[in-house]
């Protein structure tokens, strides 16, 4: 809330911003996949929260932007780091430097959102996506998220080693055996996260 921030004593601002950043980091660090559901405007912190999520689904009427530079500040909750990693360095710089707002179609084109849909279908589309994720093995999903998040922060060889370690975490699970049995028996697997 920019009105609240304007009246906030200067000595309280650093702790306030740190708490917001911690929240975004906590969202990103969750072992379960997270899906941001955006039905309207997501500017500043709204876009930063969306960036901390694994997947983003938006209504066709949604708008996004890291508009902080137009207020003589910069995104302070991870936006300068997460946006360029998601949409590329050049596009990330463009959007942050200009504070330009983008609509849902452009957000989809640049990879800022994974899917757009009609506003009335937003929740159903997100639940459908979540349902598809829930059909997979929970340990495998957690390990895939871990490998992607940490592997992308390193060089390719280190990333491959992270992936290999995550793969081997899945091997001794009961879920892996259930997946193989279900495949052989031509039925849906019943995973328990074990």
């Amino acid at each position: 809330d920019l009105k609240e921030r304007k009246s906030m004593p200067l000595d309280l601002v650093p702790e306030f911003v740190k708490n917001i950043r911690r929240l975004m980091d906590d969202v990103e660090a969750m072992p379960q996949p997270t899906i941001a559901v955006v039905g309207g405007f997501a500017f500043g912190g709204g876009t930063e929260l969306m960036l901390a999520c694994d997947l983003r689904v938006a209504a066709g009427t949604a708008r996004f932007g890291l508009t902080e530079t137009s207020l003589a500040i910069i995104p302070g909750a991870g936006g300068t780091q997460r946006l360029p990693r998601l949409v590329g360095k050049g596009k990330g710089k463009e959007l942050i430097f200009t504070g330009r707002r983008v609509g849902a179609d452009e957000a989809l084109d640049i990879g800022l959102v994974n899917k757009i849909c009609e506003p009335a279908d937003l929740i159903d589309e997100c639940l459908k996506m979540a349902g598809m994720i829930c059909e997979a093995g929970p340990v495998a999903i957690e390990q895939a998220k871990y490998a992607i998040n940490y592997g992308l922060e390193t060089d390719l060889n280190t990333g491959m080693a992270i992936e290999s370690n995550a793969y081997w975490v899945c091997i001794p699970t009961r879920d892996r055996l259930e997946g193989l049995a279900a495949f052989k028996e031509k039925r849906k697997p019943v995973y328990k996260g074990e």
Side-chain angles (χ1 to χ4, degrees):
D1 182 351
L2 295 176
K3 291 175 187 169
E4 176 188 356
R5 291 277 299 278
K6 183 178 180 188
S7 63
M8 185 179 289
L10 189 59
D11 61 322
L12 296 181
V13 172
E15 189 62 28
F16 178 80
V17 172
K18 268 193 228 172
N19 285 335
I20 293 173
R21 186 176 301 134
R22 257 187 244 125
L23 171 65
M24 305 304 177
D25 291 346
D26 287 348
V27 168
E28 185 175 51
M30 290 179 67
Q32 303 85 2
T34 55
I35 303 173
V37 181
V38 184
F41 295 155
F43 301 127
T47 291
E48 288 184 297
L49 178 57
M50 179 185 84
L51 290 167
C53 293
D54 297 305
L55 303 169
R56 291 151 298 282
V57 178
T61 54
R63 292 185 47 84
F64 311 91
L66 293 178
T67 57
E68 288 87 347
T69 57
S70 67
L71 301 170
I73 57 175
I74 68 169
T80 65
Q81 300 307 301
R82 291 185 179 105
L83 181 65
R85 282 173 168 82
L86 186 62
V87 302
K89 188 175 177 181
K91 184 55 76 172
K93 284 181 177 181
E94 173 197 337
L95 294 176
I96 291 170
F97 293 171
T98 65
R100 186 167 67 82
R101 298 167 183 207
V102 299
D105 288 333
E106 183 178 356
L108 182 64
D109 288 345
I110 65 174
L112 181 58
V113 298
N114 299 89
K115 183 174 191 147
I116 57 175
C117 60
E118 293 298 320
D121 299 330
L122 190 56
I123 298 300
D124 286 340
E125 286 296 322
C126 290
L127 291 174
K128 189 164 111 181
M129 184 180 286
M132 290 173 68
I133 293 168
C134 288
E135 288 180 7
V139 175
I141 293 294
E142 183 178 325
Q143 290 305 306
K145 179 174 175 171
Y146 180 88
I148 293 166
N149 284 354
Y150 291 99
L152 284 177
E153 300 300 318
T154 67
D155 62 271
L156 181 60
N157 285 334
T158 304
M160 296 296 272
I162 290 169
E163 178 186 274
S164 181
N165 288 338
Y167 182 89
W168 288 109
V169 169
C170 299
I171 294 300
T173 65
R174 290 182 183 166
D175 282 349
R176 181 184 72 88
L177 297 175
E178 167 61 12
L180 293 171
F183 179 79
K184 182 179 178 186
E185 297 164 13
K186 298 181 181 178
R187 61 173 173 82
K188 273 190 145 186
V190 179
Y191 296 123
K192 298 181 178 175
E194 301 172 345

